[in-house]
Amino acid sequence: MTAAQGTSPTVSLDAAPAGLIARCAQGDQRALAELYDATAAQVNGLALRILADREVAEEVTGDVYLQVWRSAASYDPARGSALAWLFTLARSRAIDRLRAGAGERRHAAPAEPPREPESDAPGPEEGSSLAQRRRIVHAALERLGEEQRRVLEMAFFQGLSHGEIAAALGTPLGTVKTRIRLGVGRLRELLKAQGGLAS
């Protein structure tokens, strides 16, 4: 996957990402795709500098945008720019992955990466909106093939890493990565066909 870099010299580099994050918080699935296209190269570059492993950096980059989708409402422009927020997420996840990798090398059993603490609990309206989005996503997941649906559920709902999924299923890591990549693409098509996740 490639990401556009500096698509418009006349627009502030961070103005568009901030607006796209705001749209993500409203459930606009297209905004997530646009945000990815506009910023993924920079986010991936940071992850690659930390991890020095192209494949793992790509996984971390994907994880960052999934986290953005789940927690876009927690982004506060008053506390920093949108790009700074994305870089903070990327740095945190990359460091977590480094620590997990070090644990795997020291022990036979893979170490579970530290999880980020949950932010403030959602209010009633936000909780209702999140529940509706979950129903839409679960309905789309049901239309995937069994293999793709299973790895996506393990990755996104159980929070397992690609390596943990491969170990749990007894499946090669490359196969797990391919199923997740194809599953995410198919899920994206299904959500677009439903008009995205906008309520």
Side-chain angles (χ1 to χ4, degrees):
M1 287 184 286
T2 60
Q5 298 184 43
T7 53
S8 173
T10 60
V11 175
S12 164
L13 185 60
D14 198 48
L20 292 170
I21 291 171
R23 285 168 53 196
C24 287
Q26 297 301 315
D28 186 341
Q29 194 261 348
R30 288 185 182 86
L32 182 65
E34 291 175 26
L35 181 68
Y36 180 91
D37 290 342
T39 61
Q42 294 151 291
V43 170
N44 186 71
L46 174 61
L48 184 57
R49 283 196 296 276
I50 294 171
L51 295 160
D53 184 314
R54 190 170 300 278
E55 281 193 26
V56 178
E58 287 177 0
E59 290 177 18
V60 165
T61 300
D63 290 345
V64 166
Y65 290 92
L66 287 169
Q67 185 175 356
V68 168
W69 179 251
R70 292 173 180 154
S71 59
S74 70
Y75 166 62
D76 181 0
R79 300 176 70 178
S81 72
L83 285 174
W85 186 59
L86 290 172
F87 291 156
T88 298
L89 297 180
R91 182 176 180 279
S92 175
R93 287 197 169 269
I95 290 172
D96 283 352
R97 190 62 67 91
L98 276 179
R99 289 174 180 160
E104 286 172 5
R105 287 190 292 274
R106 284 195 303 269
H107 308 288
E112 183 175 341
R115 303 208 185 268
E116 294 185 14
E118 292 292 329
S119 58
D120 298 334
E125 289 183 11
E126 185 182 352
S128 174
S129 175
L130 288 173
Q132 181 181 2
R133 284 188 226 164
R134 269 191 217 103
R135 285 193 295 272
I136 293 171
V137 171
H138 278 289
L141 277 170
E142 289 301 317
R143 297 178 61 189
L144 296 179
E146 170 64 26
E147 291 178 342
Q148 290 177 358
R149 182 173 68 248
R150 190 172 184 192
V151 294
L152 288 182
E153 287 174 342
M154 293 175 80
F156 302 148
F157 299 119
Q158 297 176 30
L160 299 181
S161 70
H162 292 185
E164 289 168 336
I165 295 169
L169 297 178
T171 303
L173 181 59
T175 301
V176 168
K177 291 179 180 178
T178 299
R179 288 178 184 171
I180 289 175
R181 187 161 41 246
L182 294 175
V184 168
R186 177 62 179 146
L187 190 62
R188 191 175 180 180
E189 291 173 7
L190 291 169
L191 291 171
K192 275 188 179 178
Q194 296 179 52
L197 289 180
S199 48

